[in-house]
Amino acid sequence: MKFLVKTQRDMEAVAGNYIREAIPEAEVWIAPMGYTGLVLVEADENALEKLLEIPEVERVIPVLVETEADLDRIAESAEKIAHLIGENETYAVKTKRRGKHDFSSIDVNRVLGAKIKELTNADVNLSWPDKVVQVEIIGDKAYISVLPGEEYRKYTPDKIDARKLFRKLTIVQMPYWGDYKACRKFGEKIGRAAQAFEVKELIIAPKEKMDAFELMEFLRGVKAGQESRYKIQREAYPWKVEKVPVSLWDIYQVIRDKRRNKRLLIITDPKGPTLAEVKDKLARDMHHAREVVVFIGSREGIPRGLFRFADYVVDLAPYMTFATEHGIPATLVSLWEVYEEFLRENEKGE
């Protein structure tokens, strides 16, 4: 039988040569039709275990049906795989298409999915299917397999959605200043990080007058970083992604406004207690807050005069100071960990 082996891009030749050594009798096609990250292997069915012993091999898809890359031929293949999907199971069709065709991946999913429904009467579940009908199209050939749904479950019911917290979290970030190139570089990293977490808002907040052109370069970097991450999210996520709103506001006015409107204010600073000391109360307060506002410094910490207006001043890593570009990821991951623990404990209590 045939196996479609997936590797990191440009690692297909390395993997292919190891496959030839491990399975001398196998027929091996490296980068079929020039598509990198793929190796096509023809060997007996016992080869699967040996393929999985090769570290360069990321995934192995056993090919159940090989047919022409034609919608009618692909639909006909349903008759050969329908017996693998029970009437009480759910399924989804997922297609990866390489090359030029007069149909799209969505067309394949629709036509093949409808045929499988007709033959099995099973229900479609695009989020957590029991079985996934995988269609890999390479040029004029289509390779079809049926895989356990667990292989595709990035988003499962037992995982708590981190956006429960991040959608109501505003980051107040002091800008980086100095050399223009450095300003832009740090701006890109901060813009990318804020967009990656899909937070409610990113507020760039200087504490005093600063060079307008340094700030301009920093903001250009924020925009570039946000755009680069947003493009990746649009392609990778099954849900609609919005760009994080970015504002410019004096840090003292931010704390005045947010405090007046009774938001939960958190400042990260080594002068505060450790996260472990306050995590239970902090997590509960974050859960009930309408908005969580987190202040993060840059080169310098948050002005000490603001500490008395904050609900929490927290030391995330005692005896350590985070680099500017690590502020957002380190802070948000830490807050999410204590928040997730709180949610799971509450579930047990219920």
Side-chain angles (χ1 to χ4, degrees):
M1 65 182 300
K2 286 185 178 177
F3 300 89
L4 185 61
V5 172
K6 294 191 174 184
T7 72
Q8 289 283 317
R9 185 167 293 180
D10 297 327
M11 289 298 292
E12 63 279 354
V14 176
N17 288 326
Y18 277 117
I19 292 169
R20 286 178 176 137
E21 290 180 8
I23 316 171
E25 68 277 12
E27 292 287 335
V28 179
W29 294 270
I30 296 171
M33 298 194 69
Y35 292 104
T36 58
L38 298 176
V39 182
L40 196 57
V41 179
E42 186 170 356
D44 64 53
E45 60 184 20
N46 298 321
L48 178 60
E49 188 175 338
K50 292 181 179 179
L51 290 171
L52 292 173
E53 289 176 353
I54 299 171
E56 288 80 5
V57 170
E58 299 217 333
R59 289 186 62 216
V60 180
I61 300 175
V63 177
L64 300 180
V65 179
E66 178 182 347
T67 187
E68 297 172 33
D70 174 85
L71 271 182
D72 291 335
R73 301 287 82 76
I74 292 172
E76 289 171 3
S77 70
E79 297 178 2
K80 299 179 182 179
I81 59 173
H83 67 282
L84 298 172
I85 302 171
E87 183 176 353
N88 295 323
E89 291 184 306
T90 60
Y91 72 96
V93 180
K94 297 185 182 292
T95 302
K96 177 68 175 178
R97 189 170 58 87
R98 305 167 186 84
K100 294 183 178 181
H101 307 90
D102 58 1
F103 57 85
S104 67
S105 297
I106 294 174
D107 292 332
V108 176
N109 296 346
R110 175 176 49 80
V111 171
L112 183 55
K115 187 65 175 178
I116 292 171
K117 175 71 175 177
E118 177 186 321
L119 295 170
T120 65
N121 202 34
D123 290 328
V124 174
N125 185 330
L126 299 179
S127 300
W128 305 294
D130 296 310
K131 299 286 177 64
V132 172
V133 179
Q134 184 70 25
V135 183
E136 298 281 345
I137 298 176
I138 304 174
D140 60 356
K141 294 289 184 181
Y143 303 94
I144 303 166
S145 186
V146 179
L147 304 171
E150 288 82 358
E151 289 194 21
Y152 291 83
R153 291 181 186 173
K154 291 181 183 179
Y155 319 108
T156 60
D158 61 307
K159 292 182 179 179
I160 300 173
D161 189 344
R163 293 175 300 165
K164 286 179 179 288
L165 173 62
F166 299 142
R167 275 188 295 226
K168 62 178 181 179
L169 193 148
T170 293
I171 297 169
V172 182
Q173 173 73 59
M174 289 175 61
Y176 191 91
W177 66 92
D179 177 77
Y180 288 176
K181 289 183 179 178
C183 289
R184 188 178 181 95
K185 179 182 74 173
F186 282 106
E188 286 182 11
K189 292 179 179 179
I190 287 167
R192 187 178 298 114
Q195 183 64 40
F197 285 93
E198 298 182 67
V199 296
K200 180 179 181 180
E201 184 180 7
L202 170 63
I203 299 176
I204 306 302
K207 66 182 179 68
E208 59 192 356
K209 182 176 74 173
M210 65 177 291
D211 185 287
F213 297 114
E214 291 175 7
L215 179 60
M216 179 179 69
E217 287 302 317
F218 178 80
L219 293 175
R220 282 177 172 167
V222 170
K223 181 174 176 60
Q226 181 190 54
E227 290 284 353
S228 67
R229 186 61 202 170
Y230 176 67
K231 288 178 183 176
I232 293 171
Q233 290 172 318
R234 284 181 58 190
E235 295 175 1
Y237 289 171
W239 56 79
K240 184 180 179 182
V241 181
E242 302 287 349
K243 285 185 181 178
V244 171
V246 181
S247 307
L248 181 66
W249 206 356
D250 177 279
I251 197 168
Y252 295 100
Q253 305 315 315
V254 175
I255 209 153
R256 282 191 174 95
D257 178 83
K258 298 298 183 182
R259 181 174 182 247
R260 184 168 58 246
N261 289 299
K262 298 182 179 179
R263 300 317 196 234
L264 184 70
L265 306 182
I266 302 171
I267 291 176
T268 59
D269 193 275
K271 298 179 185 69
T274 66
L275 191 58
E277 294 177 76
V278 301
K279 67 175 186 176
D280 294 332
K281 186 174 184 302
L282 173 60
R284 186 166 53 252
D285 287 347
M286 288 195 296
H287 183 64
H288 294 295
R290 288 175 57 197
E291 181 182 10
V292 179
V293 185
V294 181
F295 291 76
I296 302 176
S298 174
R299 294 188 62 170
E300 295 179 4
I302 300 298
R304 190 165 184 168
L306 304 186
F307 287 13
R308 62 181 177 272
F309 302 105
D311 297 289
Y312 291 91
V313 178
V314 183
D315 185 3
L316 297 179
Y319 299 96
M320 292 180 62
T321 301
F322 290 117
T324 297
E325 67 270 28
H326 298 155
I328 292 175
T331 302
L332 269 57
V333 168
S334 298
L335 293 178
W336 168 247
E337 285 178 354
V338 301
Y339 187 65
E340 182 187 28
E341 183 180 328
F342 167 81
L343 292 179
R344 292 198 183 281
E345 287 300 322
N346 274 5
E347 284 179 358
K348 290 177 184 177
E350 293 171 1

